[in-house]
Amino acid sequence: MSSVYRSTLTALAGSAGVALVIGLLDTAWGWATFALCLLAMLLYHVRHLARLARWAASPVAGRVPEGSGAWDEVLGALHRYERAAERREQQLGDALTRFRRAAQALPDGVVILDSANRIEWCNHTAELHLQIDGRADLGQPIANLVRDPQFVDYLATEEHAAPVRISRGPGLSLSLQLVQFGEAQKLLLSRDMTQSERVETMRRDFVANVSHELRTPLTVLVGFLETVRELKLDPQRVRDYLGMMGDQSARMQRIIDDLLTLSVLEAAPPPPTERVRVGPLLARLRADAEALSGGRHSITLHGEATTDLLGADSELASAFANLVSNAIRYTPAGGKVGLAWRDGADGASFSVEDTGLGIASEHIPRLTERFYRVDRSRSRETGGTGLGLAIVKHAVARHQATLDVESRPGAGSRFTVRFPAQRTLPLEPARQAEAG
Ligand code: ADP
């Protein structure tokens, strides 16, 4: 038997008992007592009912009225139900917060659209990508805010399997995709494609450049080959042609060697941290410069190395040699080329200064791009591949060093590689004594 019945019957039985005892003395008083007891019970129930009705009119979580007797079970059950509902609500709230946090953390933009393509919710990335306001634009049709005709058409079609590409503001290229979910809701996903488009353009340009760079000497080579094969030439002519063919082959070889060097630099793990002896390296560079110049320039070397470098000897030697070779190649005969080394507590630097052609300021930021040349014919004449400074840039960056270029057309240039202090190493004691 439920406790509601039990406690009601117990109260009734108690009242009847008391009324019966009094009724034995005086029947009228017995009935009156019973009626009073029934009235008290009625008042008790009405009072609890009124409290419950008051709470039910505006239920406040955790404020379910307390009750006693028969009402204890009813209000207790309501209290438990209400607590369970509160827990469920809390769990749902937590799940929603987690979902929102996860959607906010996505690197892609997410917009939830209703069946009429109005904005229900969007994350911060979508706000940035689509230039919408997650609060003010709630309920707005997305097509009113993203008016790109391609996107508007895409929104109107039923077929959303493939994303659509649109440009949003200068230099922002987006890929937008709609995904259907629920009854008729949609997710609009936006992804920034600017970087990957840039990489794709660079890749296309690079392939076109390499093909062009190799095709030129190859065309010359094929031309000479045909001439030698088809025409009856005197032996001296043949030797001349073969010499020229040799030059073109050497040029192709240099381009391929430089491309391989670049790809190795790009793909290789960080350079080893071996000791690069700066003194002997500078002496070698100077000797190479003298040989390359063939006495046409005055070449000087300033600065005594009091530190060595930490890194890959071959990479640094090739980077420095490229700078020296450029200085000689772009400085007319009679000019000066100065190599300089400086080191101190704040790091070290190697610079190559020349009194050559110089470079106009608009070219300077692009010098380290592959195949970028200020003066194409001069670069070719002197055996340049257009890859030298790209190699220098990669090699020095791998050593946390920077490349600075100062130049004025007609006055000359200075290329400086600066190394941070952690890339320098005190000389070995024996060499310290020699240097001293
Ligand atoms: P290249 O093989 O053509 O020399 P680099 O990548 O070494 O290719 O250099 C890129 C371009 O920068 C060169 O074509 C040249 O126009 C310019 N340049 C590089 N070094 C110098 C310099 N010391 N003086 C003038 N111009 C230079």
Side-chain angles (χ1 to χ4, degrees):
M1 202 196 314
S2 106
S3 70
V4 175
Y5 285 118
R6 207 179 314 121
S7 59
T8 308
L9 288 179
T10 313
L12 266 179
S15 309
V18 173
L20 199 65
V21 172
I22 296 175
L24 286 178
L25 303 175
D26 182 333
T27 315
W29 275 107
W31 281 113
T33 307
F34 190 57
L36 264 179
C37 286
L38 286 181
L39 188 65
M41 276 173 69
L42 189 66
L43 279 177
Y44 162 81
H45 285 299
V46 167
R47 192 170 148 260
H48 277 86
L49 203 59
R51 284 170 63 205
L52 182 60
R54 215 177 312 130
W55 177 84
S58 50
V60 179
R63 291 265 185 94
V64 178
E66 305 257 322
S68 56
W71 284 90
D72 188 32
E73 181 180 321
V74 177
L75 295 177
L78 192 61
H79 194 66
R80 281 193 299 282
Y81 176 80
E82 198 253 333
R83 278 235 302 275
E86 202 181 325
R87 257 199 314 276
R88 272 199 307 279
E89 204 173 304
Q90 179 72 39
Q91 280 166 354
L92 268 177
D94 289 351
L96 194 64
T97 311
R98 271 204 305 279
F99 160 76
R100 291 216 162 136
R101 281 210 191 116
Q104 285 295 8
L106 280 177
D108 292 346
V110 181
V111 186
I112 298 178
L113 300 175
D114 67 10
S115 54
N117 293 327
R118 287 179 300 233
I119 300 175
E120 283 191 344
W121 183 82
C122 70
N123 70 356
H124 186 56
T125 314
E127 287 184 312
L128 293 176
H129 281 175
L130 303 171
Q131 287 136 40
I132 56 179
D133 184 328
R135 282 173 195 211
D137 293 333
L138 280 195
Q140 290 284 332
I142 187 81
N144 287 0
L145 303 167
V146 182
R147 288 169 177 271
D148 186 286
Q150 266 176 295
F151 173 67
V152 175
D153 288 349
Y154 177 70
L155 203 59
T157 58
E158 293 292 306
E159 184 49 53
H160 300 132
V164 64
R165 287 270 176 106
I166 67 163
S167 298
R168 202 82 179 128
L172 177 62
S173 171
L174 293 177
S175 157
L176 298 181
Q177 174 144 33
L178 281 169
V179 181
Q180 196 100 21
F181 78 101
E183 290 285 293
Q185 281 178 298
K186 290 176 201 121
L187 272 184
L188 174 65
L189 306 173
S190 67
R191 176 166 290 179
D192 187 350
M193 303 301 286
T194 319
Q195 184 59 17
S196 61
E197 265 179 20
R198 203 174 292 147
V199 170
E200 177 56 21
T201 312
M202 269 168 63
R203 193 192 62 79
R204 263 201 310 264
D205 288 355
F206 180 64
V207 171
N209 276 330
V210 172
S211 317
H212 176 78
E213 294 289 334
L214 289 176
R215 201 182 51 196
T216 317
L218 202 60
T219 314
V220 179
L221 207 64
V222 171
F224 281 141
L225 262 179
E226 273 174 14
T227 316
V228 171
R229 204 172 49 201
E230 314 263 308
L231 301 182
K232 273 209 166 318
L233 300 168
D234 61 79
Q236 181 54 42
R237 242 346 200 337
V238 173
R239 265 199 301 281
D240 290 349
Y241 279 172
L242 287 178
M244 288 190 262
M245 283 159 70
D247 289 347
Q248 296 303 325
S249 314
R251 188 168 148 207
M252 288 197 291
Q253 175 100 49
R254 274 198 305 277
I255 294 174
I256 289 168
D257 285 348
D258 278 358
L259 283 173
L260 285 175
T261 307
L262 257 181
S263 78
V264 167
L265 284 179
E266 274 177 341
T273 44
E274 63 194 26
R275 178 184 286 274
V276 179
R277 295 176 202 285
V278 175
L281 174 60
L282 293 176
R284 255 187 351 257
L285 286 169
R286 187 192 177 143
D288 290 350
E290 300 277 7
L292 204 61
S293 160
R296 287 174 296 128
H297 306 89
S298 123
I299 295 166
T300 52
L301 169 62
H302 289 290
E304 188 82 32
T306 63
T307 61
D308 281 337
L309 287 173
L310 266 179
D313 190 87
S314 59
E315 287 180 26
L316 293 176
S318 134
F320 292 176
N322 263 308
L323 296 180
V324 172
S325 140
N326 279 354
I328 304 271
R329 286 167 42 233
Y330 296 106
T331 303
K336 294 183 194 151
V337 171
L339 320 186
W341 174 262
R342 281 183 198 86
D343 55 40
D346 56 344
S349 72
F350 171 72
S351 63
V352 182
E353 193 169 355
D354 64 54
T355 57
L357 306 177
I359 306 160
S361 58
E362 70 268 23
H363 296 292
I364 292 181
R366 302 196 56 190
L367 289 182
T368 55
E369 286 176 22
R370 286 146 203 231
F371 298 116
Y372 189 84
R373 291 143 166 145
V374 178
D375 180 346
R376 229 157 235 287
S377 55
R378 173 128 199 145
S379 162
R380 290 234 175 84
E381 273 165 31
T382 58
T385 59
L387 295 168
L389 290 180
I391 293 176
V392 175
K393 180 181 124 178
H394 271 87
V396 304
R398 280 164 57 78
H399 290 79
Q400 292 78 47
T402 55
L403 174 68
D404 289 344
V405 185
E406 298 153 83
S407 190
R408 256 189 322 126
S413 319
R414 186 194 293 139
F415 287 76
T416 310
V417 182
R418 291 180 215 284
F419 294 90
Q422 71 264 26
R423 279 276 167 196
T424 62
L425 201 64
L427 295 184
E428 292 153 310
R431 287 179 48 230
Q432 248 164 20
E434 269 170 42

